[in-house]
Amino acid sequence: MNNDKEYMKIAVDEAKKAYDAGEVPVGAIIVKDGKIISQAHNNREETGDATGHAETLAIRMACDAIGSWRLEDCELYVTLEPCPMCMGAIINSRIKRVVFGAKDAKAGACGSIVNLASYPFNHKPIVDNGVMTDDCAKILSDFFVKKR
């Protein structure tokens, strides 16, 4: 738990890359055995791919990095509460723990709208939130103020 803030800072740095690219600023990293094995940020606008969320991209890279779709000993750090699509990928990849910063009142699938981790799927990730919430929320609000 001590490293949560350090890892979230790296996810925030990824979110800043998305911000600079004109993407909704969400960043994610995946950690295994204390080492970052993937990091990504949203790229939907750049790629025109609806699945270009930071979490799904980080999951793909982590699977490549370890040579398996099973991410059982991994933790995902993401600046915004995962949406239903991303929570589906998290559950299916068997990620052990998810840590997110800001809640998503419009699409959050870790409690804000629905809590997919509470359903009787064959895997239930541990979900923690509130790490660097203000920093994670600020980059999003700054982005949307600038957009408007």
Side-chain angles (χ1 to χ4, degrees):
M1 294 284 258
N2 245 354
N3 293 324
D4 286 354
K5 189 172 181 182
E6 293 305 312
Y7 289 135
M8 190 61 78
K9 284 180 185 177
I10 297 165
V12 169
D13 288 343
E14 281 295 321
K16 289 175 183 174
K17 291 176 188 176
Y19 181 100
D20 292 342
E23 301 277 353
V24 174
V26 178
I29 68 165
I30 295 180
V31 176
K32 179 179 170 66
D33 300 325
K35 294 184 178 147
I36 297 169
I37 61 170
S38 69
Q39 52 192 86
H41 56 271
N42 280 2
N43 72 0
R44 289 190 311 174
E45 300 301 325
E46 175 189 340
T47 63
D49 180 354
T51 67
H53 288 203
E55 302 96 320
T56 59
L57 298 169
I59 288 169
R60 287 180 197 139
M61 287 185 248
C63 291
D64 285 346
I66 68 168
S68 174
W69 63 269
R70 294 177 184 270
L71 302 177
E72 297 165 320
D73 297 321
C74 296
E75 296 177 307
L76 171 81
Y77 292 81
V78 62
T79 57
L80 182 65
E81 180 179 0
C83 71
M85 173 184 70
C86 292
M87 271 308 287
I90 290 162
I91 290 165
N92 281 303
S93 64
R94 312 294 196 269
I95 288 175
K96 176 174 71 177
R97 180 173 175 244
V98 177
V99 180
F100 70 88
K103 290 189 175 253
D104 186 348
K106 294 181 180 178
C110 295
S112 289
I113 301 290
V114 67
N115 184 359
L116 291 182
S118 71
Y119 281 75
F121 293 113
N122 60 345
H123 175 70
K124 291 182 185 285
I126 297 163
V127 178
D128 292 316
N129 67 348
V131 176
M132 293 183 62
T133 300
D134 293 342
D135 296 278
C136 294
K138 183 172 180 359
I139 192 170
L140 285 158
S141 62
D142 289 352
F143 175 80
F144 287 110
V145 165
K146 180 181 162 188
K147 259 321 225 192
R148 293 182 187 118

